[in-house]
Amino acid sequence: MALKATLMTEEEMTRALKRMSHQILEFNQGAENIVILGIKRRGLPLAVSLARNIKSIEGVDVPVGELDISLYRDDVDRSSDEPVVSDCHIESEITGKDIILVDDVLYTGRTVRAALDAISKYGRASTIQLAVLIDRGHRELPIRADYVGKNVPTSRDELVAVYVSDLDGENAVRLFSE
């Protein structure tokens, strides 16, 4: 894969996450009933950033949890009858809460569908809202994001890669093509 473009720099990611934090607070009329769940791997650092922004804006510590959806995927080839069980770390009660589900890239919608299945195992949320850094289109399921950092029209043979400093040593979003 060859680098085609840098879609977001660190500064642009920071600005988009701050804007999304304000939108979340405005829509939910504050942060008192919010729980943020980051989809493992790159959704979690983005969820932590949103919670940090909300704390600086409202002065409220919003609970953040990690959601591992690998067990719930319908588009992963299972080579064994024994599923790999991964831990979800949701310390806060979610029943009756406004859940902000966070992922890095929204593409087909299958990851989000799997996340919705996983969340239902932990309780009945009042609402589940979706926040994504990049929406690249090509949905296969009727899913849309409530909060989007950037819409990026792509072709199916392109790859959008989100880099977060916790995992990759830098914050950036890049587009690759074959």
Side-chain angles (χ1 to χ4, degrees), residues 67 69-70 72-74 109-119:
L67 195 60
I69 54 90
S70 56
Y72 299 91
R73 294 293 300 234
D74 69 351
R110 293 189 179 278
T111 297
V112 175
R113 191 220 37 92
L116 294 171
D117 289 346
I119 289 171

Side-chain angles (χ1 to χ4, degrees), residues 56-137:
S56 72
I57 297 165
E58 291 281 312
V60 175
D61 284 314
V62 176
V64 176
E66 177 182 30
L67 195 60
D68 186 341
I69 54 90
S70 56
L71 190 61
Y72 299 91
R73 294 293 300 234
D74 69 351
D75 59 349
V76 176
D77 181 34
R78 302 263 186 230
S79 59
S80 147
D81 291 335
E82 294 298 317
V84 177
V85 178
S86 299
D87 289 334
C88 291
H89 301 285
I90 302 175
E91 304 294 326
S92 169
E93 173 65 41
I94 68 166
T95 298
K97 297 292 185 176
D98 296 308
I99 304 300
I100 311 300
L101 181 62
V102 182
D103 202 6
D104 57 348
V105 178
L106 178 57
Y107 183 36
T108 63
R110 293 189 179 278
T111 297
V112 175
R113 191 220 37 92
L116 294 171
D117 289 346
I119 289 171
S120 70
K121 302 292 183 193
Y122 291 92
R124 185 180 172 122
S126 178
T127 65
I128 300 175
Q129 302 158 40
L130 179 60
V132 296
L133 187 61
I134 302 292
D135 184 345
R136 64 173 289 192

Side-chain angles (χ1 to χ4, degrees), residues 13 33 37 49 64 80 145-146 174:
M13 283 178 67
N33 202 47
L37 299 179
S49 293
V64 176
S80 147
D146 299 286
R174 295 192 179 99

